[in-house]
Amino acid sequence: PILKWRLNRNLQMQKIKLKIIFLDIDGVINVISQGHDEFGSVFHKHLCDNLKTIIDATGAKIVISSTWRVDGLGQMQLMWKKRELAGEVIDVTPDCVQIVNDGIEKFYDKVERGHEIQWWLDKHKDEVENWVIVDDDNDMLSSQRDNFVRTANNKDHEDCIDIGYGLTKKCAEKCIEILLRNNK
């Protein structure tokens, strides 16, 4: 009984590190509106299915980095639940105003989405095993390039939406590869 207690306690003391998807929404899973509901534009099903593929393969959790985050974490989680979207939204990144209020403006001439993501990573560094940024914009830090999947200019992807945006199967495969790497 004592050995079993020690084993359980050791397992409880080990922190399980997370794989994180920093998820933009517009240009990633919201490309051509599929209608509207109480939350706004309904996301494209096959792009959401590609997100599900990533989550199923990696067990990653979602941090919303999209401007949709201004509605707050609770609203994002409610939308995810009501729309029956894959994965678990565990947080949202701060917006530029919050970062500037934290004094980070001293270090950067211009605060971009990459800074907001880096702020979140710095605050949660002991909790994160690996991460990927999924976004159609290119405003990431140079240090984040190896963990960035851009969902724009994808006209050559077999399942792209006709305007070349969105989380295609090819993008999903790259996300899985990044999340399953052995390094941060």
Side-chain angles (χ1 to χ4, degrees):
I2 292 175
L3 182 58
K4 186 176 179 182
W5 176 83
R6 283 186 182 158
L7 180 60
N8 286 338
R9 185 158 189 247
N10 285 341
L11 289 173
Q12 289 173 353
M13 290 175 62
Q14 292 176 0
K15 282 191 175 182
I16 297 173
K17 292 201 171 203
L18 302 173
K19 291 176 177 62
I20 299 294
I21 300 169
F22 290 99
L23 184 66
D24 182 28
I25 292 177
D26 295 329
V28 178
I29 56 176
N30 185 37
V31 176
I32 298 173
S33 179
Q34 303 299 292
H36 289 84
D37 65 9
E38 65 191 279
F39 301 102
S41 183
V42 175
F43 308 147
H44 200 284
K45 182 178 176 351
H46 109 252
L47 301 176
C48 291
D49 288 345
N50 290 339
L51 177 61
K52 182 180 184 325
T53 298
I54 298 167
I55 291 164
D56 288 348
T58 65
K61 305 294 183 189
I62 299 168
V63 174
I64 302 293
S65 57
S66 169
T67 55
W68 285 61
R69 71 186 187 257
V70 299
D71 291 332
L73 176 60
Q75 191 72 356
M76 292 292 95
Q77 290 170 328
L78 181 62
M79 177 181 69
W80 234 252
K81 181 179 179 179
K82 284 194 171 185
R83 289 185 176 183
E84 298 179 352
L85 298 169
E88 179 185 358
V89 175
I90 62 166
D91 206 354
V92 297
T93 57
D95 63 21
C96 291
V97 173
Q98 183 177 352
I99 286 180
V100 169
N101 288 340
D102 283 346
I104 294 179
E105 67 178 337
K106 294 182 236 175
F107 305 110
Y108 304 115
D109 293 332
K110 180 180 175 189
V111 179
E112 294 180 330
R113 187 161 296 177
H115 294 112
E116 297 165 343
I117 290 169
Q118 192 60 52
W119 181 92
W120 193 96
L121 282 167
D122 291 344
K123 293 286 185 184
H124 299 278
K125 62 185 168 207
D126 294 334
E127 303 162 40
V128 177
E129 176 184 337
N130 217 337
W131 51 275
V132 66
I133 301 168
V134 185
D135 202 312
D136 63 315
D137 286 329
N138 204 17
D139 55 349
M140 304 307 147
L141 305 178
S142 59
S143 62
Q144 297 167 334
R145 294 288 172 200
D146 290 342
N147 292 66
F148 175 56
V149 175
R150 190 163 186 213
T151 62
N153 303 318
N154 294 332
K155 287 189 177 198
D156 61 331
H157 296 195
E158 69 180 57
D159 64 329
C160 96
I161 308 281
D162 64 350
I163 57 174
Y165 283 83
L167 180 60
T168 63
K169 289 179 183 178
K170 194 171 184 179
C171 292
E173 289 170 5
K174 186 174 179 187
C175 289
I176 292 167
E177 179 184 312
I178 290 169
L179 287 166
L180 294 180
R181 282 193 309 227
N182 289 332
N183 60 344
K184 278 190 184 179

